[in-house]
Amino acid sequence: MEELLLSYRDENCGFDLSTRLREIRACHGELVWLCIGTDKQIADSLGPLIGTMLYCAMPQLNIAGKLEAPVHAKNIRPMVRSLRESFPQAAMIAIDAAAGPAGQLGRICLRQGGLLPGKALAKNIPRVGDYALTVVVQGSGHFKPETKAQGLSFIYNLAEIISRAVIESYTEEIG
């Protein structure tokens, strides 16, 4: 699968993301959504916010990581192990916020191969997921409280775009 790079400002962003997610579902059938992050820092709340939005709209999906039960550095290893045991045939899509150049804020990337959570904080966490869906939410090289972060409305809008795209990728099935 070719990497998909989108700007959240592009009017076709949601459609293009939904189309690619539908293709992934067609290849794998069952999916698990691993929404990584914490509600303790706005920039890192993207994953759990998406997980919460997905759960509210489609509780039948296999979702790990919501605002009330986030998946973060301290619990990600046992969570991934549990998900792999519970859904051995499912493809896992890991969703996480990313730091990057200020000019790339809002860049959405979907690619095959998983992601390294906590990379911006130099955490030593193994690669997770079969696919990675990342969004640049903070300029600079690291997720640190003292670096300039985007506001909650920016994070919320990104979460809405992504969660809507995920939901739309299932519409043919549940129409």
Side-chain angles (χ1 to χ4, degrees):
M1 179 185 93
E2 188 176 316
E3 180 177 68
L4 178 67
L5 294 172
L6 302 165
S7 169
Y8 80 103
R9 290 186 180 111
D10 182 351
E11 67 181 49
N12 293 323
C13 174
F15 176 79
D16 292 344
L17 182 57
S18 177
T19 299
R20 183 63 60 88
L21 292 171
R22 191 175 288 120
E23 291 169 5
I24 293 170
R25 285 189 49 247
C27 288
H28 297 283
E30 188 174 26
L31 299 178
V32 172
W33 302 92
L34 180 64
C35 303
I36 303 165
T38 177
D39 62 343
K40 305 224 181 303
Q41 184 182 1
I42 290 173
D44 201 27
S45 67
L46 180 72
L49 191 53
I50 291 169
T52 299
M53 289 177 174
L54 290 177
Y55 182 77
C56 288
M58 299 181 75
Q60 71 273 26
L61 296 182
N62 305 318
I63 303 165
K66 299 180 286 197
L67 289 171
E68 61 277 2
V71 174
H72 46 69
K74 292 181 181 176
N75 68 1
I76 194 164
R77 286 179 176 96
M79 178 60 71
V80 169
R81 192 169 31 257
S82 173
L83 291 169
R84 291 290 189 200
E85 289 170 4
S86 298
F87 308 101
Q89 301 303 315
M92 184 180 295
I93 299 183
I95 300 173
D96 201 4
Q104 292 185 4
L105 286 176
R107 186 188 75 173
I108 299 168
C109 176
L110 176 61
R111 63 177 176 74
Q112 194 167 8
L115 59 84
L116 292 168
K119 184 177 177 183
L121 290 172
K123 302 254 183 194
N124 187 19
I125 302 171
R127 185 172 300 277
V128 297
D130 301 302
Y131 294 87
L133 199 165
T134 58
V135 185
V136 176
V137 298
Q138 184 167 329
S140 92
H142 300 287
F143 267 82
K144 295 181 180 176
E146 65 270 15
T147 59
K148 181 176 177 356
Q150 296 301 307
L152 180 58
S153 66
F154 177 70
I155 303 301
Y156 189 88
N157 288 337
L158 290 169
E160 277 192 318
I161 290 167
I162 293 167
S163 60
R164 265 192 250 124
V166 171
I167 293 163
E168 288 172 13
S169 76
Y170 285 89
T171 56
E172 286 181 357
E173 183 176 298
I174 62 172

